[in-house]
Amino acid sequence: MALLVRVLRNQISVSQWVPVCSRLLPLSLTQALSGTSQWPQMSQSLASGGSEQISGIDIQQSRKYHTTNKLSSTKDFPQPVEEKVGAFTKIIEAMGFTGPLKYSKWKIKIAALRMYTSCVKKTDFEEFFLRCQMPDTFNSWFLITLLHVWMCLVRMKQEGRTGKYMCRVIVHFMWEDVEHRGRVMGVNPYILKKNMMVMTNNFYAAILGYDEGILSDDHGLAAALWRTFFNQKCEDPRQLELLVEYVRKQIQYLDSMNGEDLLLTGEVSWRPLVEKNPQSVLKPHSPIYNDEGL
């Protein structure tokens, strides 16, 4: 044992080199054995952008930034701070009930109904049918409505507990409208109930896919739209490009709206699918454009 101690003491001067932030730094064997190295102090200095002088080596942190010009998405905006709720509110919400909100529930329900109505009444479905080459069917109507409802949900979830409650009411009104339209069309009640279950599953799958796409780059968003909106049947990449640009600019437009006004009024206006820019170059032979360039 005494011989081993002498051997270790003779090796105090021996240094080891360890990698730190892609650089080799000397670390004495004594520090490696005793665990008295100064990594926390060095890491704190490097994190603050300063320099650390170790054994004659001057280490400076340098960082290069790269910026790109792109439309803003929800991840580019600061997320709202979670509301602080009391113990009583937590208990009743854990039981499945809704606690006290910022505004009365009936005001939020009216605003939610107006917002859903904006998704149905203020959307130019004919333009979507034409530009995206979709058949004029009930399923196409549902896919377009689902996309706009999802964009409203993305915006209202930023308004805390009150906004999340409004999201649930919007989805409730959507399913009531879908069921009512199915009955008006004369669909058999059994078939309608079965189709409602299928559409419910597709709805939640689409919400997850769109959420992942909006937080990703344009490739991820295009993949989500291709799977859900086009049902994996889009053969023209220009249609995907058109829809990706529409979703990005619409999300940015909704983010610019005042949250308090949306909670109280629910009034939402939509940007056109194709901007009416007179300087844009029309492509008559494109399947998205007709002979008049519209």
Side-chain angles (χ1 to χ4, degrees):
M1 179 63 67
L3 180 60
L4 178 59
V5 172
R6 286 197 298 270
V7 171
L8 291 177
R9 289 179 177 178
N10 293 334
Q11 292 181 350
I12 291 179
S13 60
V14 179
S15 299
Q16 294 181 347
W17 292 85
V18 295
V20 177
C21 298
S22 303
R23 299 175 183 268
L24 291 177
L25 300 181
L27 177 65
S28 64
L29 183 60
T30 303
Q31 293 175 334
L33 294 176
S34 61
T36 58
S37 59
Q38 303 298 322
W39 295 122
Q41 292 82 352
M42 184 189 65
S43 301
Q44 183 177 2
S45 176
L46 291 178
S48 62
S51 61
E52 183 74 12
Q53 190 74 20
I54 301 179
S55 301
I57 301 178
D58 184 32
I59 302 173
Q60 294 182 348
Q61 186 184 27
S62 60
R63 189 185 299 268
K64 295 181 179 180
Y65 296 92
H66 176 68
T67 58
T68 57
N69 295 325
K70 66 180 184 66
L71 291 174
S72 302
S73 61
T74 53
K75 66 179 179 179
D76 300 318
F77 295 87
Q79 297 297 323
V81 181
E82 289 292 334
E83 300 179 20
K84 295 182 179 181
V85 296
F88 176 74
T89 302
K90 293 181 180 179
I91 292 175
I92 61 177
E93 289 188 348
M95 297 172 61
F97 300 96
T98 302
L101 301 174
K102 189 174 183 180
Y103 303 106
S104 60
K105 294 182 181 179
W106 68 270
K107 287 185 177 181
I108 299 175
K109 290 182 179 180
I110 294 176
L113 179 59
R114 289 176 178 173
M115 184 168 291
Y116 173 72
T117 304
S118 299
C119 296
V120 178
K121 299 296 184 181
K122 296 183 179 181
T123 302
D124 192 348
F125 290 91
E126 295 294 334
E127 187 176 17
F128 275 90
F129 294 156
L130 175 64
R131 304 286 183 177
C132 301
Q133 296 184 347
M134 304 174 67
D136 188 357
T137 61
F138 180 77
N139 184 62
S140 298
W141 172 88
F142 177 73
L143 292 175
I144 299 173
T145 303
L146 188 153
L147 179 64
H148 289 80
V149 168
W150 165 74
M151 288 189 287
C152 290
L153 300 182
V154 171
R155 177 61 184 89
M156 299 316 300
K157 285 180 181 179
Q158 303 178 34
E159 300 303 323
R161 294 172 54 254
T162 306
K164 293 178 181 178
Y165 175 77
M166 187 172 178
C167 290
R168 295 196 297 269
V169 180
I170 293 173
V171 175
H172 173 75
F173 284 132
M174 183 193 71
W175 290 124
E176 281 194 345
D177 185 34
V178 170
E179 185 177 4
H180 175 72
R181 289 173 183 267
R183 292 176 179 175
V184 171
M185 294 174 61
V187 181
N188 182 277
Y190 174 77
I191 297 178
L192 178 61
K193 183 178 180 180
K194 186 177 180 180
N195 290 339
M196 288 282 293
M197 295 177 61
V198 174
M199 286 189 293
T200 301
N201 296 331
N202 294 338
F203 171 78
Y204 289 108
I207 293 298
L208 292 176
Y210 288 156
D211 285 344
E212 182 181 4
I214 197 63
L215 295 175
S216 180
D217 56 7
D218 289 346
H219 297 86
L221 181 57
L225 292 170
W226 178 76
R227 290 191 303 266
T228 303
F229 190 86
F230 291 102
N231 197 20
Q232 303 182 10
K233 295 180 180 179
C234 179
E235 299 179 356
D236 191 345
R238 287 170 293 186
Q239 297 178 3
L240 274 175
E241 180 184 5
L242 178 68
L243 208 57
V244 168
E245 181 182 358
Y246 174 76
V247 172
R248 293 289 188 191
K249 70 181 180 182
Q250 192 61 60
I251 289 292
Q252 183 181 14
Y253 182 63
L254 292 176
D255 284 333
S256 65
M257 295 183 178
N258 184 269
E260 302 295 326
D261 294 339
L262 292 176
L263 287 174
L264 293 175
T265 64
E267 294 292 339
V268 175
S269 58
W270 303 101
R271 302 285 298 274
L273 181 60
V274 177
E275 298 290 343
K276 302 300 187 294
N277 186 2
Q279 297 180 355
S280 61
V281 179
L282 301 180
K283 301 177 181 179
H285 300 289
S286 172
I288 302 181
Y289 296 86
N290 56 21
D291 295 337
E292 298 178 356
L294 298 177

